[in-house]
Structure formats: structure tokens, C-alpha cells
Amino acid sequence: MVLVVMSATLATFLRGQLAGLIPEIDDILIAVWAGLFASLFLAAARYLMASRPLQADELTEGLVKDIGLDKWEYISQAAKEHGADGDLLRAIILAEVQQRPRWFRRLERAKGLVFRAGTYGIAQIAASKPISDKESVDRLAESFAGYVVPRTGDHWESVAALRERLMRHNPDAAHIDRITLMYELLGGFTIADDYELTDEE
């Protein structure tokens, strides 16, 4: 009790001098959210590293289940409406969902109630406030409207050109590796012989 009284008295006398050391409430909330996301990401990473490697079919099946069959089918509709490559949109979304599963996207939406701007939906589209999964698909399809992946037969003519275009969606090289591999898996196209994946993860 004596310590509490002494601490309160000391804090009263020194509050002016200590004001600069006490962060604003917004900064505290941001730090709490950052810590929460970091903890959850670490837990998920440990779980994935401990799990056995998934086969391609198992991987896509699990990701499609996470997305939801109705939204998976909606991607084709959005691609058709905007003249976009459906397989490319699906590859982007599979890679995004692999990085941010449903439980993580729910946390992002909850965070969006306080800190509005962020990336949202299964397509992880930047927005000034939370948007729905289908709206994120629509915006992704619109951003890739009219884009055709250059290819000849079962080979892409220019992987570099595809990667350059994907950079506008997400500049992370390792993430683009995941997208191109998903696209190969979905479309049955082979990565050019002179192309090597980056070592980044």
C-alpha cells in the first residue's frame, strides 16, 4: 500500500517530465495489433513447418475449401465480365489465400473496424475500408482486364513480362514465385527452361 501511494505521488510530481515517454493511445493500439498478428503468424508458421508437405492436389483442394466454392466459381464470372485471364486470377487468389487463410482475413476485417485502410478479401486488394471477398475479386479482375499472358504452345514466351505485370499487384518476389507456380498448375503451362525461382521465402 505504501508503495502504491509513493508511486502515485511520484507520478503526480513527474507527469510533466514523463509525458514524452508515454505513447499516444493510437500508437499503443497499433503496437498491440502488430504484436497479436506477429504472434498468430509465428504460431501458424510453426504449425506449417511441422506439418508434412502437401501434394499439389491437396494444396489446391484445401485452398479452394478455404475460399469457398461459391466464390471460387465467382472468379470465372468476374474474369469473363472484365476480359481477364481466369486462370491467372485464380492463381493470384490461391497464392494470397495460402499466405492469409480465412482466420487471418477475419482478423484483418476486425482490425479494419478501427484502422480502416488495409488489404482485404480473398484477393487481398488495398482499400480504404474493409471490402467483401467478391468485391476484392471484382477489383482484381478489373485491374487485369484485357491482360493476356504471352505464351506459345505449352510455354510462356516471357516469364519476365508476366512477373513485371504481377509486380503491380504485389512487389514481393517470393510471392510472385508462388503465383507463377499456381498459374502453371492451373493452366498446364511449363515455366521456361531459363527461368529460376528466387531463393526468397
Side-chain angles (χ1 to χ4, degrees):
M1 181 69 176
V2 174
L3 289 175
V4 172
V5 173
M6 289 177 62
S7 298
T9 304
L10 186 62
T12 301
F13 284 116
L14 297 177
R15 68 177 180 267
Q17 289 79 7
L18 297 176
L21 300 176
I22 302 173
E24 297 292 332
I25 187 66
D26 287 348
D27 294 333
I28 294 174
L29 288 173
I30 290 172
V32 169
W33 271 108
L36 176 62
F37 276 89
S39 299
L40 291 172
F41 180 79
L42 181 60
R46 284 179 176 170
Y47 172 77
L48 290 173
M49 288 186 346
S51 302
R52 67 180 177 82
L54 292 174
Q55 298 298 317
D57 289 346
E58 293 177 302
L59 175 63
T60 53
E61 182 180 343
L63 293 175
V64 170
K65 184 176 180 181
D66 181 281
I67 292 167
L69 189 57
D70 60 329
K71 290 185 281 288
W72 181 249
E73 293 174 349
Y74 183 78
I75 298 170
S76 297
Q77 178 183 330
K80 185 176 181 180
E81 288 179 1
H82 293 280
D85 184 328
D87 280 339
L88 182 58
L89 298 187
R90 281 186 282 271
I92 292 170
I93 290 171
L94 285 174
E96 294 292 358
V97 169
Q98 186 180 28
Q99 292 301 295
R100 288 178 171 84
R102 184 178 299 178
W103 62 266
F104 194 93
R105 299 193 304 272
R106 285 175 177 167
L107 282 178
E108 286 181 320
R109 290 187 63 80
K111 182 270 301 178
L113 298 176
V114 181
F115 305 103
R116 310 277 284 171
T119 55
Y120 297 104
I122 55 176
Q124 283 297 292
I125 297 297
S128 59
K129 62 181 181 180
I131 59 175
S132 69
D133 285 335
K134 288 186 176 180
E135 187 173 356
S136 76
V137 172
D138 285 331
R139 293 190 186 187
L140 178 67
E142 185 177 2
S143 72
F144 279 88
Y147 178 75
V148 177
V149 178
R151 59 193 178 219
T152 302
D154 61 350
H155 282 77
W156 299 337
E157 289 180 8
S158 175
V159 176
L162 173 60
R163 291 177 67 83
E164 183 179 351
R165 178 60 187 87
L166 290 173
M167 280 280 196
R168 292 185 231 164
H169 173 72
N170 188 320
D172 180 67
H175 189 63
I176 291 175
D177 286 345
R178 286 186 286 271
I179 295 173
T180 54
L181 287 173
M182 290 291 187
Y183 186 64
E184 178 185 8
L185 179 64
L186 290 171
F189 298 103
T190 305
I191 294 177
D193 295 337
D194 61 351
Y195 174 63
E196 294 182 2
L197 295 177
T198 66
D199 292 330
E200 297 177 44
E201 284 298 335

